[in-house]
Amino acid sequence: MKTILLIEDNNDVRENTAEILELANYKVIQAENGKIGVELAAAHLPNLIICDIMMPVLDGYGVIHLLSKNVKTANIPFIFLTAKSERNDFRKGMEMGADDYITKPFDDIELLKAVESRLKKAELLKNDYSRDEAGINTFLDEAKSIQELKNLSDSAKVKLYRKKELIYTEGNNPNYLYLLQKGKIKTFRAHEYGKELIISLLNEGEFFGYTTLLDETPYNESAEALEDSSVVLIPKDDFYSLLNNNHGVMKRFVKLLSNEIQDKEEQLLKMAYSSVKKRVAEALLKLQLQYKKNAKENVAISISREDLANIVGTATESLIRTLSDFKHENLIEVKGSNISIIDTLAFEAYIKKYL
Amino acid sequence: MKTILLIEDNNDVRENTAEILELANYKVIQAENGKIGVELAAAHLPNLIICDIMMPVLDGYGVIHLLSKNVKTANIPFIFLTAKSERNDFRKGMEMGADDYITKPFDDIELLKAVESRLKKAELLKNDYSRDEAGINTFLDEAKSIQELKNLSDSAKVKLYRKKELIYTEGNNPNYLYLLQKGKIKTFRAHEYGKELIISLLNEGEFFGYTTLLDETPYNESAEALEDSSVVLIPKDDFYSLLNNNHGVMKRFVKLLSNEIQDKEEQLLKMAYSSVKKRVAEALLKLQLQYKKNAKENVAISISREDLANIVGTATESLIRTLSDFKHENLIEVKGSNISIIDTLAFEAYIKKYL
DNA sequence: ATTAAAAACTGATAAAAGTCATTCGCAGCG
DNA sequence: CGCTGCGAATGACTTTTATCAGTTTTTAAT
């Protein structure tokens, strides 16, 4: 439920107006003068403020001036409500940063429409972080954000990459946000002497190449197609302008990135202290999950020994030996380059017990 | 330089208005009807749009309707410019999402003030990503963003932590954004059997604890004071509302986070394939840099062997042996728990050559 | 100043993982 | 059909790093 702060010295007008707003299902906080209004605004951070101009103690201009000096209240939509309908008053109010101006007497519809249009406009710019009203709401916001990102890809071009073809390489300057439409792609970083570490295996429908876009540096990873893939190239300027104009998308990215940081830290911890055997086992579980996501039922993990070693961060031979061990213990089944976990639960139990 | 799109069918009025705006140092794009206006808006993404209502081909209401349907143009400040001064027209315009309303005839000052106040208001909400005009500008924006974050800390409380005291632990729910005011703090993650990996060593003036705040999950790391420290606790709601209301701050965080991701990936690569000796050497160089930052001249690195081992991700004994090696090769000097690199350049050369 | 506790260091040894060389098995191809 | 080449697998060996146990040094506390 949206909260509206109503600042008006005339009791009748205030209570009347509050009633209208409450009927429209807003929560209304009332203030009988500007001073109290400013305090209540800072305390409650309402979604919108309606304020009379002529008031004792502190007038409407004073209120908007004070509110605009406080970071927390500066961006709350502000509507002036006044008996004066003279042009100069109107201009003064707008210049001070008001968002709308309603002259008394006004009818219900007029007031409600003004409130709605300002709330809607504010909504466009920022989806409130701390005050998501429910899980569903948040979910919808996110769905919307993703949808807008996907919309971007409508206007973008699609490019086909053959197996083993490079999409971008370390040192290049990023020009696109990439969306994997079909196929499989790895992004990796190179260490000395040809060793590489796979940073991520992309599934269909996933975006990639955004970290470098966001911090505006050249790539320090490369991306390569693991099979024939089609990729949507979204021009970076389109991405930037969406990010700028839509707070929801930005918010979503902040979450995504923080999440990624935590994943990497977790990986780092494991890379430091878990044995190769454990890391391999966990990588297999993760991969199985990822392959399952695409195909509903359990699918074999299809990946070269070398790539798997590069995910785990170990020598190819060490990885192969580990796989052999698992095979001999009847934990996995190997057919060519396809690996499948025989019994996920048993495998997890084994990890817990012995690794 | 800010760009303004002016949509007006009357040639005289349009050119006159454009002239005024150009004198005020705006770049003006002119459109003689609504249809052209919409196209130019999408193509140029101006910082502000001024639009007449009564026009042939497509009137002002049509223009604002179309623009509000396109994500890229929906949030551009929109000012109606019209001869009609009737109340109903005004309300209709505002309800459709206009931001201001100027009635003809208007004087220069009136126009310019309206433009300025809308640009200023828009600026507050979003600092444009793709269109930062110069490096300096970007820098100022960032400085401003950080300043606003710091401002938050004025109203926040300061807490003292004694050496070895925990600030938060894994599993706790985050309630604050932390700012290290004085002292030294480590954040770390625990692995089985008491092993831990230090994620970061905080310097004075650095923020911490924000990743979990941003993705709204419980902590999966702990923070502990390495020496007596004073920490500013900023309530999470204050942080959230700043983030919501200030696009610049959000932007800065996106950059910060992407940067951090890349750092972690780099670390991951090294953890996987670099020897303990190399990792220790690089950790020492990094630490020296960090200590130097605080104190201008070269300072010894003061850190326990155990913590250093936990940064590198190795057993304490292995770390100590490595330090002994470096000591015997006259690369570092050890006095108690203080370590100093004798000659940074020589040390770097040694790493390149032998490690 | 003395003493207890913690941290730093050393040695011996075991375990883990990397390296190099070789073989196996299979798909593709002339 | 055999040849070629590549990825997978294995063996033999080396190197790196961890672990355990014990000593020395430093730090902190009475």
Side-chain angles (χ1 to χ4, degrees):
Chain A
M1 198 202 266
K2 300 283 183 184
T3 309
I4 296 175
L5 171 62
L6 179 59
I7 311 174
E8 159 72 62
D9 60 321
N10 181 307
N11 282 340
D12 289 348
V13 175
R14 192 179 65 245
E15 307 219 327
N16 244 318
T17 311
E19 205 170 304
I20 296 169
L21 292 170
E22 275 161 359
L23 278 173
N25 211 23
Y26 295 109
K27 185 181 163 201
V28 181
I29 302 170
Q30 301 185 30
E32 67 263 34
N33 69 48
K35 193 165 160 289
I36 296 178
V38 170
E39 283 159 10
L40 289 176
H44 290 86
L45 299 179
N47 299 96
L48 184 136
I49 297 170
I50 300 174
C51 181
D52 192 16
I53 290 191
M54 294 268 277
M55 285 184 297
V57 188
L58 182 68
D59 70 5
Y61 301 127
V63 171
I64 196 170
H65 177 72
L66 288 177
L67 291 180
S68 68
K69 287 212 298 189
N70 182 338
V71 197
K72 292 187 213 166
T73 51
N75 295 308
I76 301 174
F78 194 98
I79 299 179
F80 268 131
L81 184 67
T82 175
K84 293 187 183 182
S85 69
E86 280 173 34
R87 176 160 161 175
N88 283 338
D89 296 316
F90 167 72
R91 283 253 51 84
K92 182 172 178 193
M94 294 305 276
E95 277 158 22
M96 290 189 76
D99 298 282
D100 202 344
Y101 206 95
I102 299 176
T103 48
K104 292 187 273 191
F106 49 84
D107 57 41
D108 306 1
I109 298 295
E110 201 174 315
L111 172 73
L112 291 176
K113 278 196 174 172
V115 167
E116 265 169 44
S117 71
R118 282 312 120 185
L119 283 176
K120 195 173 138 205
K121 187 127 190 168
E123 194 78 357
L124 263 178
L125 283 164
K126 55 161 191 167
N127 312 24
D128 207 319
Y129 221 111
S130 51
R131 236 176 301 134
D132 283 315
E133 274 146 38
I136 290 176
N137 216 327
T138 313
F139 174 76
L140 285 178
D141 279 358
E142 299 205 343
K144 214 170 62 192
S145 303
I146 292 178
Q147 196 45 52
E148 302 210 19
L149 259 178
K150 297 244 154 121
N151 284 347
L152 269 189
S153 62
D154 291 344
S155 59
K157 62 179 171 197
V158 177
K159 201 169 162 191
L160 276 152
Y161 291 92
R162 311 221 58 103
K163 188 171 175 174
K164 296 211 174 177
E165 197 178 344
L166 281 165
I167 292 135
Y168 54 77
T169 44
E170 225 165 315
N172 281 173
N173 267 87
N175 285 313
Y176 298 103
L177 170 69
Y178 297 90
L179 168 62
L180 177 54
Q181 205 171 50
K182 185 116 199 64
K184 212 153 210 76
I185 282 172
K186 67 173 176 184
T187 67
F188 60 95
R189 283 181 173 239
H191 197 255
E192 298 127 76
Y193 311 115
K195 287 179 185 173
E196 58 182 54
L197 184 71
I198 293 185
I199 300 295
S200 60
L201 274 190
L202 281 313
N203 272 331
E204 288 164 16
E206 289 184 341
F207 289 94
F208 63 106
Y210 49 80
T211 34
T212 31
L213 271 185
L214 292 172
D215 80 346
E216 298 168 280
T217 52
Y219 289 115
N220 37 28
E221 56 175 26
S222 308
E224 184 188 311
L226 289 177
E227 46 187 73
D228 292 3
S229 303
S230 70
V231 175
V232 183
L233 309 188
I234 300 161
K236 70 173 177 187
D237 285 341
D238 287 2
F239 177 51
Y240 284 156
S241 82
L242 173 64
L243 221 47
N244 263 320
N245 290 326
N246 191 313
H247 212 84
V249 174
M250 185 80 117
K251 226 174 95 179
R252 209 185 129 71
F253 260 89
V254 166
K255 254 191 200 175
L256 185 83
L257 295 175
S258 336
N259 221 50
E260 234 174 276
I261 288 179
Q262 307 204 20
D263 279 0
K264 305 258 179 252
E265 287 175 355
E266 185 72 30
Q267 256 185 291
L268 218 35
L269 181 69
K270 285 178 178 161
M271 191 72 88
Y273 299 125
S274 293
S275 65
V276 165
K277 210 167 175 179
K278 183 159 189 177
R279 268 147 55 207
V280 171
E282 284 176 348
L284 286 177
L285 279 173
K286 211 168 184 176
L287 281 174
Q288 199 203 30
L289 222 64
Q290 197 174 339
Y291 275 75
K292 201 194 283 184
K293 214 186 303 172
N294 273 8
K296 300 284 168 205
E297 10 123 17
N298 264 15
V299 200
I301 300 162
S302 159
I303 190 174
S304 79
R305 299 292 177 274
E306 195 180 353
D307 278 337
L308 188 50
N310 290 345
I311 289 174
V312 175
T314 189
T316 310
E317 295 92 329
S318 299
L319 172 100
I320 290 174
R321 274 179 241 276
T322 310
L323 285 183
S324 296
D325 288 354
F326 289 156
K327 204 164 52 183
H328 292 140
E329 304 210 45
N330 277 319
L331 293 165
I332 61 170
E333 213 167 17
V334 175
K335 280 202 195 93
S337 76
N338 286 20
I339 303 164
S340 39
I341 298 174
I342 292 172
D343 177 354
T344 311
L345 288 176
F347 195 54
E348 279 170 350
Y350 175 86
I351 296 178
K352 245 194 193 128
K353 195 157 177 192
Y354 300 106
L355 300 181
Chain B
M1 197 201 264
K2 300 283 183 184
T3 308
I4 296 175
L5 170 62
L6 179 59
I7 312 175
E8 159 72 61
D9 60 321
N10 180 307
N11 282 341
D12 288 348
V13 175
R14 191 178 65 246
E15 306 219 328
N16 243 320
T17 312
E19 205 170 304
I20 297 170
L21 292 169
E22 274 162 359
L23 277 172
N25 210 22
Y26 295 108
K27 184 182 164 198
V28 181
I29 302 172
Q30 301 186 30
E32 66 261 32
N33 68 48
K35 191 163 163 289
I36 296 177
V38 171
E39 282 159 11
L40 288 177
H44 291 86
L45 300 178
N47 298 97
L48 184 137
I49 297 170
I50 300 175
C51 180
D52 192 17
I53 290 191
M54 294 266 277
M55 284 185 297
V57 188
L58 182 70
D59 72 3
Y61 300 127
V63 171
I64 196 170
H65 177 72
L66 288 177
L67 290 179
S68 67
K69 288 213 296 190
N70 181 338
V71 197
K72 292 187 209 169
T73 52
N75 294 309
I76 300 174
F78 194 98
I79 299 179
F80 268 130
L81 183 67
T82 175
K84 292 188 182 181
S85 70
E86 279 172 35
R87 176 160 162 173
N88 282 338
D89 296 316
F90 167 72
R91 284 255 50 84
K92 182 172 179 196
M94 292 307 275
E95 277 158 21
M96 291 188 75
D99 297 281
D100 202 343
Y101 207 96
I102 299 176
T103 48
K104 294 188 271 191
F106 51 85
D107 56 40
D108 307 0
I109 297 295
E110 202 174 314
L111 173 73
L112 290 175
K113 278 196 175 173
V115 167
E116 264 169 43
S117 70
R118 283 311 121 183
L119 282 175
K120 196 173 137 204
K121 188 130 189 165
E123 195 76 355
L124 264 177
L125 283 164
K126 55 161 191 165
N127 313 23
D128 206 317
Y129 221 112
S130 50
R131 238 176 300 135
D132 283 315
E133 273 147 41
I136 289 176
N137 214 329
T138 312
F139 175 76
L140 283 178
D141 279 357
E142 299 202 345
K144 216 169 59 192
S145 303
I146 292 178
Q147 195 45 51
E148 301 211 22
L149 256 178
K150 298 243 153 119
N151 284 346
L152 272 187
S153 61
D154 292 346
S155 60
K157 62 180 170 195
V158 176
K159 201 169 164 190
L160 275 153
Y161 291 92
R162 313 222 54 105
K163 189 174 174 172
K164 295 208 176 181
E165 197 177 344
L166 280 165
I167 292 136
Y168 54 78
T169 44
E170 224 165 315
N172 280 174
N173 266 88
N175 286 312
Y176 297 103
L177 169 70
Y178 298 90
L179 168 62
L180 177 54
Q181 204 170 54
K182 186 115 200 63
K184 212 153 210 77
I185 282 173
K186 67 172 175 186
T187 67
F188 60 95
R189 282 180 175 242
H191 197 253
E192 296 126 78
Y193 310 115
K195 286 179 186 176
E196 59 182 54
L197 185 71
I198 294 185
I199 301 294
S200 61
L201 274 190
L202 280 315
N203 273 331
E204 288 164 16
E206 290 185 340
F207 289 93
F208 62 107
Y210 49 82
T211 34
T212 30
L213 225 42
L214 291 173
D215 79 348
E216 298 169 278
T217 53
Y219 288 116
N220 36 28
E221 57 175 25
S222 308
E224 185 189 311
L226 290 177
E227 47 189 71
D228 292 2
S229 302
S230 71
V231 175
V232 182
L233 310 188
I234 300 161
K236 69 172 176 188
D237 285 342
D238 288 1
F239 177 52
Y240 285 156
S241 79
L242 173 64
L243 222 46
N244 261 321
N245 291 326
N246 190 313
H247 212 82
V249 175
M250 186 80 115
K251 227 174 95 179
R252 211 187 127 71
F253 261 90
V254 167
K255 253 189 202 177
L256 186 81
L257 295 174
S258 340
N259 222 47
E260 235 176 277
I261 288 180
Q262 307 203 18
D263 278 1
K264 305 261 179 249
E265 287 175 355
E266 185 71 30
Q267 257 185 290
L268 218 35
L269 182 70
K270 285 177 178 163
M271 192 70 88
Y273 300 124
S274 293
S275 67
V276 166
K277 212 167 175 181
K278 182 158 191 176
R279 269 147 53 207
V280 170
E282 284 176 348
L284 286 176
L285 279 173
K286 210 169 184 175
L287 281 173
Q288 199 203 29
L289 221 64
Q290 197 174 338
Y291 275 73
K292 203 195 280 186
K293 215 187 301 172
N294 273 9
K296 301 283 168 202
E297 9 124 16
N298 265 16
V299 199
I301 300 163
S302 160
I303 190 173
S304 79
R305 300 292 178 272
E306 195 181 352
D307 279 337
L308 189 48
N310 290 345
I311 289 174
V312 175
T314 189
T316 310
E317 295 94 327
S318 299
L319 172 99
I320 290 173
R321 275 179 240 276
T322 310
L323 286 183
S324 295
D325 288 353
F326 288 157
K327 204 164 53 185
H328 291 142
E329 304 211 45
N330 278 318
L331 293 164
I332 62 170
E333 213 168 18
V334 175
K335 280 203 194 92
S337 77
N338 286 19
I339 302 163
S340 39
I341 297 173
I342 293 173
D343 177 354
T344 311
L345 288 177
F347 194 54
E348 280 170 350
Y350 175 85
I351 295 178
K352 248 196 191 131
K353 194 156 178 195
Y354 300 107
L355 300 181

